[in-house]
Amino acid sequence: MEDVSGLLWRVLAGPLSAAVVIWLLCHKSKFYTDFGPIMERQAAAFIAIGFLAGSSLFGYWAFGAVRDGAQMENRVLYEFLSAGDLMVEINWSLDRLSGLMMMVVCGVSLCIMVYSIGYMHDDPGISRFFAKLSFFVFSMLGIVLAGNFLMMFIFWELVGVSSYLLIGYWYERPSAADAGKKAFIVNRLGDFGFLIGILMLWGITGEVDFVRVKNQLAAHPVDANLLAVATVLIFCGAVGKSAQFPLHVWLPDAMEGPTPVSALIHAATMVAAGVYMLCRVSFLVFGSPVAMEIIAWTGGITALMAALIATQQNDIKRILAYSTLSQLGYMVMAVGLSNPAGSGYMPAMFHLSTHAFFKALLFLSAGSVIIALHHSEQDIWKMGGLLKKMPITAGCFAVGALALCGFPFMSGFYSKEAILGLAYDHNPRLYLLATVTAGLTAFYMFRCFFVAFFGNTRGEHAEKAKESSWVVLGPLVVLAVASICGGWFGIPEWLVENKAISAEHAPRAVMIAALAAFTIGVGAAAFLYARGATTDALNKLPVLSWVLRNKFFIEEIYMVLVKAGQGTLAWLCGFVDRWIIAGLAVRGLAATTRGTGQVLRLFQTGNVQTYALWFAAGATIILYCLVR
Amino acid sequence: MTFPSHHPDFPILSVLIFSPLVAAAIAVFIRSEGLLRWWTLASTIVIALVSLPLWCWFDATTAKFQFVEHAAWIPSLKISYTLGIDGISLLLVLMTTLIMPLCVLCSWRYITKRVKEFMICLLVMETAMVGVFCALDFILFFVFWEAMLIPMALLIGVWGGPRKIYAAIKFFIYTMAGSILLLVAIIALYLKVGSFDIRAMMGHPYAAEFQCWVFLAFFISFAIKVPMFPFHTWLPAAHVEAPTAGSVLLASILLKMGTYGFLRFSLPITPHATHVFTPYILWLSVIAIIYGGLTALAQSDLKKLVAYSSVSHMGFATFGIFALNVNGIEGATMVMINHGVTTGALFIAVGIIYERLHTRDLGETAGMGKFMPVFAGFLGIFCLSSLAFPGTNSFIGEFLVLAGGFKVSKLMAICTVPGVVIAAAYMLRMLQKVAYGHVNNPDHSQLADLNLREIVTLAPLLVFVFWIGLHPQPFIHVMHASVQHLLEQANGPLANAAVALR
């Protein structure tokens, strides 16, 4: 067992040391002016990819150990914090769940880093980019391998800050800087629910370690309501990080970051961390039906809402962002609908894994298109006709779209089917909602595909577009293969060891309904957009497209609330501080003192006659009182 | 090689207290300004080095006061010269001695007039501050407590900004008002106990009503120092006008004396009254956390912003102290240390900005980071630390305080949480403006990045940010026994008996 712990250290150390080494060596120091800027770029990419490859190798080794049945003891590295009855250790958890997630993170990160060499080729800050990206991978692996709630929370926030840094990577653009800040603060909102949840759970069980909390809950039954509240609070963390309604507003804005970042962080890995966390604490979630109900509906609403908004977006990355929201909604819903006695969290994790591949593929294909358009056009209506100009990219995009929509025998087909089957068994209303969403997914993905790749070219940049280089296309092809075959690797069997359960398939009716939704969605998109449309046909439904284009006005409502709430409060505090406390109370006290002094001064004239007068007056009053 | 052990007759605390005075006396005779700077720097560094053995020699297994020195001073009034430290004061003494060299460094170029007087003020401050944390006789404590005011008021009033006289007087009168109540309380206690020894005053069975009066006198005195809402208005004024070193001392050390006073005097001497007033003080702390944060959000002067964030952070400290459990008090002590490290660093950073631009306005500093990447890196980490980011020091303190507060009242603990979200908002607002700016930044292309002196000033604080953030256990371990003992005093039979009387 000694070995596995050592391996995990190395898995984490890889990206972290890459970040540190790049940060120390590859900025614009004298060290690199000798070698010239090209060297600097290649060095940063080379360091990042090299270290990550090493990590992935160690990760695969640890993965192999899990496959061979090694069970990770809760080996404590060191005691982090112990005050009174609060005890936090630094320890790892390695099991089938974290093993799978670790491989997904390493695999997708590697592809995306290679791709970034091409995508970020002309960017002057490329070493900064790779340092931050490596730091992100480190934090993400930390979430995956954390052995207790507090450690997970620490890495959780580290992921948040690296996402903040990467969204605001092009910090000269105000929109990018604002998007970064928005992401950080919205996430923090959820995270503090998470933190209160952790504290509450600690209050209930007296532990923060995953294994010990689980044992404690199993041994001593506790108040179900209290536990449900704690679970929902912890779920708040997932709502923030996985961008579920009502905290979803940061994710579309996060597309201001470079496209590889969108692919890695805001599609494949970080945003899935919320779902992963729910699976990690499934012992908690499954213990509270109320919390599961809330989780399922949150996911369902997010899935449908995001899919509706996606149908009317025109920015290729934003379409994909809303699609990510929608798919994350699916995963969260799957957690909420899980059957603890049966497949458990398998459907959610299965979809998470396949989604990581095909969504990364879609984003990278979009990135390839953006490269071809010289980083200056993302509006699909200004593209068109790219199929002929960049066939490999178009093919990869089509593969990703098909996988996402659940085309038979591609990866998304299996994982979506698992979720739909679950919904069919447990909650007919959510099942209906999920099927409608599946249809909408097919519609908006193929709307995007047809408008961008079919018809005639509609913009000057699109005229000159040509296929990207192989350093860009290589990762695309790898991810395309993974998107096609992702369902055949046996991920369900990996997560659920009971063969009878993992081999179960959804009822035939579910499959037929899903296929029908797919066909209708693609058909509608083909009918409206495949024949060289130059404007959106939905413009003919003004109210609907207006509402959808403005994303149900959720952001506007928030803006008003935040402005009114925070602005007023901050102003009020400033006012109270300035005028009430400093002004009235303190100055008032000072003024009273001064005033009293002024009045008393009148008596101290130094004039003997005046003193005599006062003396006489005083004596008279005393005499009067005595005589009376 | 083993570290030489502590010789029981070596008066290390007296040496620490009085060597700055000796250094100041020598500084009187130094003419050259350059030499003065180096002399002060060297002497503060030596004192810091001399204080380090305290950490090694300190026995963390006992709650007894250690390195105790005792000598008669004014026998007729039973006033003695008694020094000693426990786990809580140990950390504060070390922080004081370690912050001092940084104060000298950050004034290196900032102070150009009356350098000699400035340096002497700093050294006298050090004597008084270390003395406050070491004194075990109440009169001795009071002497140091008052002695601190004069050099501090001078630092503000002589080397301060445009409204320095106003700020100095406000600071002086505020703290003086508190001190008088403190003196009254000390005399009242003396009349009951017949000694000024702080240890004798602890555990004396005072009447419940008497305790309440003494507690209130203590409370006002310390609450002004912390400062707690609504006694905080002197703080922004003093910070804005004070020179960088003054702000650093104020934030890092002076504010801690209020919370230290609660821990050393209020809790153990008046345990019953503590329990009576706890709910009100907890709510005041909650208000301070939220209120300080919101006010900070509305500031455009960088120093004011950091000053109001201090109000918010110190709210966490008082919240933890009056949670009256191990997590809360250990968390509060960590918050005190962390606030010293982080806010000290932020004031130094603001000073660095001011030296270059002669303004602290958020709008005019926008976009500096582009031309000062090293500075932006430092500022970024200290901002994260200030918003209690996990992995940095403040997270440990605030997490423990929240954990302690959660045990006392879930409602109050939850009410403090928005404070942490607001902290993210105001710190990011500042960081983003200063480091990245917006579209129309003033031209900063002439700015030079940090020089070696400035890096050396900030780097030690950076080390503490991560050391405490990643491996806080040594710090918690060293105070654990003392905190445990303090809680026994505060929650012990005397408190219960008194509560039963009500």
Side-chain angles (χ1 to χ4, degrees):
Chain A
M1 254 8 274
E2 196 74 12
D3 284 334
V4 179
S5 283
L7 284 178
L8 294 183
W9 251 133
R10 277 166 229 165
V11 170
L12 275 181
L16 181 64
S17 3
V20 172
V21 169
I22 296 172
W23 181 65
L24 287 179
L25 295 184
C26 294
H27 49 81
K28 290 195 180 58
S29 65
K30 282 181 193 135
F31 184 81
Y32 270 97
T33 45
D34 298 344
F35 296 94
I38 301 297
M39 181 67 190
E40 177 195 330
R41 271 181 206 146
Q42 288 175 347
F46 178 75
I47 293 168
I49 293 169
F51 274 95
L52 181 60
S55 274
S56 311
L57 218 63
F58 287 121
Y60 186 71
W61 209 337
F63 184 77
V66 178
R67 190 184 47 213
D68 299 340
Q71 281 297 311
M72 179 79 180
E73 302 287 319
N74 251 322
R75 209 181 84 100
V76 179
L77 283 164
Y78 73 92
E79 199 175 83
F80 178 62
L81 187 63
S82 136
D85 45 2
L86 175 72
M87 230 257 285
V88 185
E89 295 150 338
I90 297 291
N91 56 1
W92 307 123
S93 60
L94 180 67
D95 51 13
R96 285 173 170 260
L97 176 63
S98 54
L100 171 68
M101 190 73 185
M102 180 171 69
M103 289 330 293
V104 170
V105 171
C106 286
V108 177
S109 308
L110 262 179
C111 286
I112 285 170
M113 281 204 181
V114 172
Y115 175 90
S116 301
I117 301 177
Y119 190 86
M120 304 298 288
H121 189 260
D122 299 323
D123 197 281
I126 189 164
S127 57
R128 188 164 53 96
F129 177 80
F130 274 104
K132 287 174 179 176
L133 209 56
S134 297
F135 185 71
F136 164 76
V137 177
F138 159 73
S139 329
M140 185 67 211
L141 287 172
I143 291 188
V144 174
L145 296 174
N148 60 56
F149 278 101
L150 200 70
M151 249 180 97
M152 183 175 249
F153 184 75
I154 290 175
F155 283 109
W156 192 262
E157 293 273 292
L158 282 180
V159 160
V161 83
S162 40
S163 148
Y164 162 75
L165 289 171
L166 282 162
I167 295 171
Y169 173 73
W170 284 314
Y171 56 80
E172 309 86 10
R173 298 183 191 167
S175 57
D178 288 345
K181 196 164 87 175
K182 184 174 178 184
F184 193 81
I185 291 175
V186 172
N187 262 303
R188 207 128 217 257
L189 225 55
D191 290 352
F192 278 90
F194 191 14
L195 187 61
I196 297 174
I198 294 175
L199 283 171
M200 199 150 170
L201 198 63
W202 171 68
I204 298 170
T205 62
E207 300 284 356
V208 292
D209 185 273
F210 290 138
V211 177
R212 286 203 295 261
V213 169
K214 186 179 178 180
N215 294 342
Q216 194 76 18
L217 286 177
H220 310 280
V222 292
D223 183 0
N225 292 331
L226 214 55
L227 201 62
V229 173
T231 312
V232 171
L233 282 168
I234 288 175
F235 172 61
C236 283
V239 170
K241 197 116 297 184
S242 289
Q244 296 297 294
F245 177 82
L247 297 183
H248 64 280
V249 288
W250 66 271
L251 187 62
D253 287 13
M255 296 302 127
E256 289 292 340
T259 305
V261 169
S262 312
L264 177 60
I265 301 185
H266 306 116
T269 56
M270 180 187 96
V271 288
V275 179
Y276 170 78
M277 183 263 275
L278 289 177
C279 298
R280 169 61 59 213
V281 301
S282 56
F283 57 88
L284 211 63
V285 177
F286 294 168
S288 139
V290 185
M292 282 180 80
E293 188 83 11
I294 293 174
I295 293 172
W297 276 102
T298 310
I301 290 169
T302 311
L304 182 63
M305 180 201 68
L308 279 170
I309 296 175
T311 56
Q312 277 299 289
Q313 295 300 308
N314 296 328
D315 182 314
I316 189 166
K317 279 178 76 180
R318 282 191 177 247
I319 296 174
L320 294 179
Y322 280 104
S323 142
T324 307
L325 277 182
S326 174
Q327 298 304 308
L328 287 167
Y330 258 106
M331 296 173 213
V332 169
M333 185 180 81
V335 175
L337 292 173
S338 305
N339 174 12
S343 55
Y345 51 68
M346 184 277 281
M349 272 312 285
F350 188 21
H351 197 55
L352 189 160
S353 316
T354 58
H355 175 259
F357 294 121
F358 57 69
K359 192 47 70 65
L361 172 66
L362 282 168
F363 265 107
L364 295 190
S365 311
S368 172
V369 169
I370 294 169
I371 298 174
L373 305 181
H374 307 289
H375 294 274
S376 49
E377 197 54 76
Q378 300 190 6
D379 187 340
I380 52 172
W381 292 101
K382 304 244 170 78
M383 295 175 187
L386 295 177
L387 182 63
K388 282 174 222 135
K389 292 179 190 283
M390 29 198 333
I392 302 177
T393 303
C396 289
F397 193 92
V399 168
L402 285 172
L404 169 61
C405 303
F407 188 73
F409 311 114
M410 293 175 98
S411 59
F413 170 73
Y414 296 99
S415 54
K416 213 173 247 188
E417 177 219 288
I419 295 178
L420 289 174
L422 208 58
Y424 184 77
D425 289 344
H426 291 93
N427 192 330
R429 274 175 294 177
L430 276 174
Y431 168 69
L432 189 67
L433 188 150
T435 311
V436 171
T437 307
L440 283 169
T441 307
F443 175 75
Y444 68 71
M445 278 318 297
F446 280 88
R447 167 181 177 264
C448 174
F449 181 68
F450 290 139
V451 172
F453 291 94
F454 278 43
N456 302 319
T457 50
R458 284 181 299 269
E460 45 171 330
H461 292 294
E463 293 286 347
K464 288 176 258 169
K466 58 175 193 294
E467 190 60 277
S468 304
S469 66
W470 272 106
V471 71
V472 169
L473 294 179
L476 285 188
V477 173
V478 172
L479 285 171
V481 172
S483 302
I484 295 172
C485 318
W488 311 336
F489 295 149
I491 293 174
E493 290 77 16
W494 170 262
L495 290 170
V496 184
E497 286 173 76
N498 185 341
K499 285 277 179 311
I501 293 173
S502 63
E504 260 178 21
H505 280 284
R508 185 156 297 161
V510 173
M511 283 203 207
I512 291 170
L515 277 178
F518 171 77
T519 319
I520 292 170
V522 177
F527 175 72
L528 290 174
Y529 301 106
R531 296 170 302 176
T534 51
T535 51
D536 199 324
L538 284 187
N539 287 349
K540 285 171 195 150
L541 302 168
V543 177
L544 183 68
S545 71
W546 178 64
V547 170
L548 292 183
R549 246 174 231 164
N550 287 296
K551 306 144 200 164
F552 296 107
F553 297 98
I554 294 171
E555 303 232 6
E556 282 72 12
I557 295 170
Y558 284 179
M559 279 315 288
V560 170
L561 285 180
V562 167
K563 270 236 170 77
Q566 175 216 318
T568 317
L569 271 176
W571 178 84
L572 192 71
C573 283
F575 180 83
V576 167
D577 212 59
R578 190 144 186 190
W579 299 108
I580 309 288
I581 297 177
L584 267 179
V586 177
R587 294 241 182 83
L589 212 62
T592 314
T593 317
R594 199 178 304 136
T596 319
Q598 297 276 0
V599 172
L600 287 176
R601 207 176 67 178
L602 296 178
F603 295 89
Q604 317 292 322
T605 54
N607 187 332
V608 183
Q609 280 100 326
T610 319
Y611 288 155
L613 180 68
W614 286 118
F615 175 75
T620 317
I621 292 170
I622 292 169
L623 270 177
Y624 172 77
C625 293
L626 285 176
V627 172
R628 199 169 61 104
Chain B
M1 197 188 88
T2 54
F3 198 75
S5 59
H6 177 233
H7 190 275
D9 289 338
F10 178 61
I12 183 165
L13 295 181
S14 291
V15 169
L16 282 179
I17 292 174
F18 291 106
S19 39
L21 267 192
V22 174
I26 296 173
V28 172
F29 300 102
I30 300 177
R31 287 243 179 94
S32 140
E33 288 188 357
L35 191 61
L36 261 171
R37 294 194 174 102
W38 280 108
W39 166 251
T40 323
L41 179 64
S43 43
T44 48
I45 288 178
V46 168
I47 294 163
L49 290 178
V50 171
S51 70
L52 285 184
L54 286 179
W55 177 262
C56 310
W57 291 338
F58 189 83
D59 178 7
T61 56
T62 166
K64 278 196 187 129
F65 285 97
Q66 299 177 34
F67 311 106
V68 173
E69 294 170 33
H70 181 80
W73 185 15
I74 310 176
S76 57
L77 289 174
K78 293 194 179 129
I79 298 173
S80 65
Y81 174 81
T82 314
L83 302 174
I85 54 174
D86 67 353
I88 298 168
S89 39
L90 169 74
L91 290 172
L92 293 166
V93 168
L94 286 174
M95 186 165 77
T96 310
T97 55
L98 295 179
I99 289 273
M100 282 312 291
L102 308 182
C103 286
V104 179
L105 276 173
C106 73
S107 322
W108 207 259
R109 291 266 164 271
Y110 191 89
I111 301 299
T112 47
K113 54 165 193 175
R114 295 176 185 270
V115 177
K116 179 186 288 186
E117 288 83 349
F118 183 84
M119 295 299 171
I120 291 173
C121 272
L122 281 187
L123 289 167
V124 173
M125 280 292 287
E126 180 165 16
T127 291
M129 292 186 302
V130 176
V132 162
F133 292 130
C134 294
L136 285 186
D137 182 275
F138 230 140
I139 292 295
L140 188 65
F141 172 85
F142 192 72
V143 167
F144 285 127
W145 176 272
E146 293 292 287
M148 209 166 48
L149 290 188
I150 301 156
M152 192 64 220
L154 286 178
L155 283 181
I156 300 173
V158 177
W159 293 272
R163 298 178 71 206
K164 55 193 179 185
I165 301 296
Y166 165 76
I169 290 180
K170 196 170 184 181
F171 165 77
F172 201 87
I173 291 189
Y174 246 105
T175 18
M176 206 54 192
S179 302
I180 292 190
L181 290 172
L182 182 63
L183 186 64
V184 171
I186 293 174
I187 293 170
L189 286 170
Y190 170 71
L191 293 176
K192 292 271 175 192
V193 182
S195 155
F196 282 109
D197 192 318
I198 292 169
R199 290 168 296 178
M201 286 179 176
M202 297 174 182
H204 189 91
Y206 308 101
E209 202 192 3
F210 177 78
Q211 281 197 26
C212 290
W213 287 112
V214 170
F215 182 90
L216 280 178
F218 278 159
F219 174 73
I220 293 179
S221 172
F222 298 140
I224 289 176
K225 206 83 177 175
V226 168
M228 288 181 73
F229 179 90
F231 302 105
H232 63 275
T233 56
W234 65 269
L235 185 76
H239 269 309
V240 168
E241 301 305 327
T244 305
S247 288
V248 173
L249 283 182
L250 206 55
S252 299
I253 321 285
L254 260 65
L255 303 193
K256 309 299 154 349
M257 297 191 172
T259 39
Y260 173 74
F262 285 132
L263 289 172
R264 174 66 72 241
F265 306 114
S266 302
L267 265 52
I269 295 180
T270 57
H272 160 62
T274 304
H275 283 269
V276 173
F277 290 107
T278 292
Y280 308 105
I281 299 179
L282 286 177
W283 276 116
L284 275 184
S285 311
V286 173
I287 294 174
I289 293 170
I290 305 294
Y291 180 88
L294 282 172
T295 321
L297 202 56
Q299 303 303 319
S300 59
D301 182 308
L302 286 173
K303 263 194 169 177
K304 267 199 180 160
L305 196 158
V306 182
Y308 278 108
S309 83
S310 289
V311 174
S312 180
H313 289 309
M314 292 309 284
F316 271 103
T318 47
F319 189 72
I321 290 173
F322 286 93
L324 296 178
N325 53 40
V326 180
N327 309 109
I329 293 187
E330 291 184 356
T333 315
M334 291 312 291
V335 168
M336 285 154 69
I337 304 294
N338 296 333
H339 179 262
V341 170
T342 305
T343 311
L346 283 173
F347 275 121
I348 294 176
V350 175
I352 289 173
I353 295 178
Y354 189 77
E355 275 180 51
R356 283 169 170 69
L357 292 178
H358 301 285
T359 176
R360 290 185 305 259
D361 187 77
L362 206 50
E364 288 174 52
T365 56
M368 292 177 74
K370 234 183 248 178
F371 304 100
M372 303 175 64
V374 180
F375 175 72
F378 273 110
L379 187 69
I381 290 170
F382 291 125
C383 282
L384 284 182
S385 158
S386 181
L387 61 89
F389 194 76
T392 65
N393 53 353
S394 308
F395 175 70
I396 305 293
E398 291 185 10
F399 179 74
L400 284 175
V401 167
L402 276 178
F406 220 80
K407 278 192 195 159
V408 178
S409 156
K410 289 194 178 56
L411 175 66
M412 285 193 218
I414 289 171
C415 285
T416 61
V417 166
V420 195
V421 181
I422 299 169
Y426 63 72
M427 275 298 152
L428 281 188
R429 171 169 165 261
M430 166 172 133
L431 176 65
Q432 205 151 44
K433 274 252 170 88
V434 175
Y436 303 138
H438 37 166
V439 196
N440 304 314
N441 294 330
D443 183 23
H444 292 311
S445 51
Q446 303 301 317
L447 292 181
D449 208 341
L450 299 190
N451 57 31
L452 186 64
R453 171 180 61 84
E454 288 163 330
I455 291 177
V456 169
T457 316
L458 289 173
L461 297 170
L462 196 70
V463 171
F464 277 98
V465 164
F466 287 116
W467 182 9
I468 302 178
L470 297 176
H471 192 47
Q473 203 50 44
F475 297 88
I476 290 171
H477 173 70
V478 82
M479 66 172 136
H480 186 71
S482 304
V483 170
Q484 205 79 43
H485 177 66
L486 176 63
L487 280 169
E488 278 161 25
Q489 289 173 320
N491 296 335
L494 279 177
N496 293 340
V499 171
L501 276 178
R502 278 163 69 199

